[in-house]
Amino acid sequence: MIVGFAERTRGLLPYTFEALGFTMQVQSFEVTGHGRLRMRDKGIRKKVDGTQESIQCQQVARILGRKFAEIGDRVTIYTTLGIRP
């Protein structure tokens, strides 16, 4: 069990909704018939900058996002994060 994970996750919801709203507005991705998000070819360019710590966090998030995309199974992803689906 990850202590405080649920509270931290809820705290990120406003930022997540804002990011999804922005990416939908600029048409960076589409929602498939199965409810999955598919990036379009001309998405938003990602620039890694900031402090050394934030750059490292962004790099790890990029790798983790790619790995979770390869898995494609939400139950496995939730279990990896210590969440019971």
Side-chain angles (χ1 to χ4, degrees):
M1 180 171 153
I2 300 175
V3 178
F5 184 78
E7 292 80 22
R8 292 193 316 259
T9 303
R10 275 192 289 276
L12 292 173
L13 275 177
Y15 304 104
T16 303
F17 289 145
E18 184 71 25
L20 286 173
F22 175 74
T23 55
M24 286 184 72
Q25 183 178 6
V26 297
Q27 300 178 345
S28 293
F29 65 85
E30 60 187 358
V31 181
T32 68
H34 298 293
R36 294 180 182 258
L37 300 179
R38 179 183 303 142
M39 295 301 294
R40 294 195 173 160
D41 290 336
K42 294 186 178 182
I44 297 173
R45 266 195 134 357
K46 297 156 207 78
K47 181 178 179 185
V48 178
D49 62 359
T51 65
Q52 185 61 30
E53 181 181 9
S54 69
I55 290 171
Q56 289 173 347
C57 289
Q58 292 173 63
Q59 291 169 339
V60 169
R62 179 181 291 166
I63 293 167
L64 188 59
R66 285 184 184 145
K67 293 300 179 187
F68 282 164
E70 288 174 12
I71 293 171
D73 177 41
R74 65 184 167 109
V75 174
T76 303
I77 293 170
Y78 288 152
T79 304
T80 302
L81 294 172
I83 303 169
R84 186 173 49 162

